[in-house]
């Protein structure tokens, strides 16, 4: 089972540790995954600290919609016209390792189903 480590994504938001940034605006940040699982593997995160998907409240509806719209734009910008997959791991049993909600945008190869 994956271990949740400290919130290093907050350090990326605060530019305390570097990342290859693909998009930034007031509500969210998108950056390339350090250990890519596909030719394109970008993480899209709200700047607001939300530990995991199960913690979402009605106040988070706008930012969650927003990160999906950013995913659509990034998929276009990064050439994923053949398709892409969005993954959001919630808590340990699903493999979440960083306690800051993040959407994985994956594409550029055939993606198997079911996932591991
Ligand atoms: P998850 O397993 O869903 O919590 O996803 C966490 C993701 O963060 C993994 O795909 C990691 O490869 C990625 N990751 C960890 N550290 C960094 C980092 N410093 N920069 C970019 N991506 C990272």
């Amino acid at each position: 089972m994956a271990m949740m480590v400290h919130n290093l994504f907050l350090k990326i938001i605060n530019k305390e540790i570097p990342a290859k940034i693909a998009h930034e605006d007031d509500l969210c940040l998108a950056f390339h995954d350090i250990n890519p699982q596909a030719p394109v593997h970008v993480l899209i995160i709200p700047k607001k600290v939300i530990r995991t998907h199960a913690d979402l409240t009605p106040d988070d509806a706008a930012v969650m919609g927003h990160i999906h719209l950013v995913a659509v734009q990034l998929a276009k910008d990064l050439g994923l016209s053949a398709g892409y997959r969005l993954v959001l791991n919630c808590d340990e049993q699903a493999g979440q390792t960083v306690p800051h909600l993040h959407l994985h945008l994956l594409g550029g190869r055939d993606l198997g189903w079911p996932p591991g």
Side-chain angles (χ1 to χ4, degrees):
M1 207 178 272
M3 267 271 286
M4 286 262 210
V5 294
H6 66 285
N7 187 358
L8 66 92
F9 290 171
L10 196 54
K11 290 194 160 69
I12 292 178
I13 290 169
N14 292 330
K15 310 285 161 58
E16 291 164 16
I17 59 173
K20 192 177 164 204
I21 292 174
H23 171 90
E24 181 166 16
D25 60 42
D26 288 349
L27 290 178
C28 77
L29 184 69
F31 51 95
H32 293 267
D33 197 291
I34 204 167
N35 182 24
Q37 301 302 310
V40 172
H41 187 174
V42 171
L43 302 173
I44 310 167
I45 67 173
K47 286 189 172 173
K48 175 183 174 185
V49 177
I50 303 169
R51 188 189 64 82
T52 195
H53 191 265
D55 292 342
L56 287 169
T57 73
D59 285 348
D60 302 318
V63 74
M64 290 305 291
H66 181 70
I67 66 173
H68 280 272
L69 294 174
V70 168
V72 171
Q73 189 59 50
L74 283 171
K76 285 183 183 143
D77 293 347
L78 297 171
L80 303 182
S81 56
Y84 55 87
R85 182 173 294 168
L86 298 172
V87 174
L88 205 163
N89 295 322
C90 177
D91 279 331
E92 279 88 352
Q93 194 167 34
Q96 183 179 0
T97 57
V98 181
H100 187 120
L101 184 150
H102 47 283
L103 194 60
H104 297 255
L105 169 64
L106 296 146
R109 67 168 172 85
D110 291 339
L111 296 164
W113 195 264

